[in-house]
Amino acid sequence: MTDGFDKRITKIKDNVYHIYDSVDAFYSLIVGTKYALLIDSGYGFSNVHDIVKTITDLPIMIVNTHGHIDHTQGNKSFDEIMIHKQDCGIYKRHSSLAFRLAVYLNIRKFVPKQQRNLKNYFKRHKTTINAIEDGDVIDIGDNMVEVILTPGHTKGSICLLDKKHRILFSGDSFSSHVWLCLKESATIPEYIKTTVKMMSRMSEFDKILTSHSLAVFKPSLLPKIKHCAENLSLIKSREYYAVPVGKTLIYKEGFEEITRRYGYRNFNEFLHHAHEVPVTEISDIEFTSIVYTKDKLA
Ligand SMILES: [Zn+2]
Ligand SMILES: [Zn+2]
């Protein structure tokens, strides 16, 4: 391999890996005794199959946390994938050549040249889609991974609960920066219900791994993001430009700690310098933010 991908693989614990794709997207791998489970697959610039094969020889199952392009396009190097039935439509739209081209033109400057394999990126999809549902369990041998429907970021977003390693893979559903600003996002009251549902399972995991950070969050992220969603109001929010949505709103809690420690006064300034902040500190700072549009309030 020539794109230095091996430096992008982080071992979280034995048999659990978090792998950097590109443009701030990560995917994860849980190695069982019969199968390895790949959670998401990134933008698809690299041949994800070849990367995963450097970690394990086991047959690979692929599950996507939702249908967005930054989580699904590495699927092209596999024969079949699993995704929640509610996100199949988004997945198909984001897999179209026109959509991939539009996104490519936006992100290409952020992808290092040696990682920009356009043959892979624009490869045709021949992958079979298997629709999954809330409560389904993926058996990888010594470990059962449960599918938990978590509507919010998209209506068919799921989290994967790895019961053996006590890790929740939260995709874009739960992190310190949640986007509910998309056409396909659920409303804020629906998202609050989702956080309550996930909080009822908090005794089953010790770590939360998200799709856009190396930071390992504690389960206490969930009550914090719920508090943020419940306290959110138009008057306390600020305008926020979210590519590719355009003008949206952002509501933040706990940002004062980032200002105190690092001096960044607003979220954009923090985002710009986020790579300078140690990942352990990112998971430690009690900071949450929700990006939304007015129509999601009710
Ligand atoms: Zn997403
Ligand atoms: Zn994402």
Side-chain angles (χ1 to χ4, degrees):
M1 282 285 165
T2 53
D3 70 356
F5 75 89
D6 49 325
K7 293 188 195 75
R8 297 191 260 139
I9 301 175
T10 302
K11 189 173 174 179
I12 301 295
K13 49 160 71 182
D14 279 351
N15 297 318
V16 181
Y17 301 86
H18 205 41
I19 304 159
Y20 180 64
D21 179 59
S22 47
V23 204
D24 292 333
F26 289 77
Y27 48 85
S28 312
L29 184 77
I30 312 169
V31 181
T33 49
K34 288 190 191 137
Y35 294 95
L37 180 65
L38 179 66
I39 300 171
D40 288 338
S41 61
Y43 280 97
F45 284 103
S46 330
N47 185 317
V48 180
H49 178 267
D50 289 353
I51 292 175
V52 173
K53 278 293 172 194
T54 65
I55 302 173
T56 178
D57 285 330
L58 287 173
I60 303 156
M61 293 199 272
I62 300 97
V63 62
N64 296 147
T65 58
H66 59 293
H68 286 156
I69 187 166
D70 50 328
H71 298 254
T72 55
Q73 296 305 302
N75 290 356
K76 294 186 297 272
S77 52
F78 300 93
D79 294 334
E80 52 183 326
I81 60 103
M82 296 174 270
I83 189 164
H84 191 272
K85 57 181 181 184
Q86 280 257 63
D87 258 35
C88 286
I90 296 168
Y91 173 49
K92 285 181 190 157
R93 186 153 47 86
H94 282 220
S95 300
S96 73
L97 208 53
F99 194 93
R100 281 189 273 160
L101 178 63
V103 170
Y104 173 70
L105 296 175
N106 261 315
I107 64 169
R108 63 183 159 177
K109 60 177 179 285
F110 305 112
V111 184
K113 256 200 180 122
Q114 71 273 23
Q115 287 168 18
R116 232 186 275 164
N117 184 332
L118 297 189
K119 214 175 138 199
N120 261 325
Y121 184 84
F122 288 111
K123 201 170 149 187
R124 268 174 170 278
H125 274 269
K126 290 180 188 155
T127 314
T128 305
I129 303 169
N130 297 313
I132 48 171
E133 292 186 44
D134 187 40
D136 282 355
V137 169
I138 305 168
D139 181 357
I140 57 172
D142 60 340
N143 191 359
M144 301 288 201
V145 180
E146 185 181 334
V147 173
I148 302 174
L149 180 63
T150 50
H153 178 63
T154 67
K155 295 191 177 92
S157 279
I158 57 165
C159 288
L160 280 312
L161 178 59
D162 171 345
K163 299 186 184 193
K164 182 179 173 190
H165 302 106
R166 296 179 54 82
I167 300 176
L168 185 74
F169 295 87
S170 69
D172 289 353
S173 291
F174 304 109
S175 74
S176 55
H177 183 59
V178 174
W179 274 31
L180 303 178
C181 55
L182 308 164
K183 203 166 59 210
E184 59 267 32
S185 300
T187 64
I188 300 199
E190 282 165 338
Y191 183 65
I192 293 170
K193 273 192 207 156
T194 292
T195 54
V196 171
K197 173 183 174 181
M198 206 63 249
M199 280 168 64
S200 72
R201 309 288 303 267
M202 266 168 76
S203 63
E204 296 173 67
F205 51 92
D206 311 310
K207 293 179 167 66
I208 300 177
L209 266 185
T210 72
S211 293
H212 292 285
S213 174
L214 246 190
V216 180
F217 291 93
K218 296 183 195 91
S220 59
L221 172 71
L222 297 176
K224 290 203 177 78
I225 198 78
K226 174 172 169 272
H227 190 269
C228 186
E230 283 173 341
N231 281 294
L232 172 160
S233 71
L234 275 181
I235 202 143
K236 291 187 272 182
S237 301
R238 292 283 167 271
E239 223 170 62
Y240 184 74
Y241 195 83
V243 180
V245 192
K247 262 193 203 167
T248 63
L249 296 157
I250 188 167
Y251 173 64
K252 318 188 267 306
E253 288 190 345
F255 196 77
E256 306 72 33
E257 183 58 14
I258 288 172
T259 306
R260 195 184 67 76
R261 287 196 210 183
Y262 299 101
Y264 307 136
R265 285 151 302 167
N266 58 55
F267 189 74
N268 270 337
E269 199 182 334
F270 167 61
L271 259 196
H272 198 66
H273 293 272
H275 60 279
E276 294 161 12
V277 180
V279 283
T280 44
E281 295 211 11
I282 288 180
S283 50
D284 185 45
I285 296 169
E286 318 246 292
F287 157 68
T288 48
S289 57
I290 294 177
V291 177
Y292 68 100
T293 45
K294 251 189 200 174
D295 57 311
K296 304 295 183 192
L297 286 168

